Amino acid sequence: TGAASSATAVDFSLSGRWLFTGYEDGHWYAWDTVQQQGPREERQASLCVSAHKQRLTGLAVNRQGEALASASWDGTAKVWA
């Protein structure tokens, strides 16, 4: 769950329930901050997306909370809605 590479970008959903983390390997993960209780090593991401071919450099939730944007060293930016 992202442990093989370093986190390079983070953002929270507007409600604060979801934590989005982007990694060097081009993946981003969604973590449910309400459901994730217990020891860190037992926690699992709710969603893993293979988003880019290179390091993820930015993540941002839009002001309405309806979409997540990701950017990467591969020269692309994507919107996830």
Side-chain angles (χ1 to χ4, degrees), residues 14-66:
L14 293 182
S15 68
R17 179 171 185 163
W18 295 97
L19 171 64
F20 301 101
T21 57
Y23 291 86
E24 288 180 330
D25 63 5
H27 289 78
W28 63 259
Y29 293 80
W31 303 87
D32 186 335
T33 63
V34 174
Q35 297 287 330
Q36 295 293 324
Q37 303 297 322
R40 191 173 100 189
E41 57 275 358
E42 293 177 9
R43 297 178 190 165
Q44 297 290 321
S46 297
L47 178 65
C48 172
V49 176
S50 179
H52 296 274
K53 294 178 182 177
Q54 294 181 11
R55 175 188 296 236
L56 207 139
T57 57
L59 284 174
V61 174
N62 74 330
R63 291 182 182 170
Q64 293 76 25
E66 299 169 345

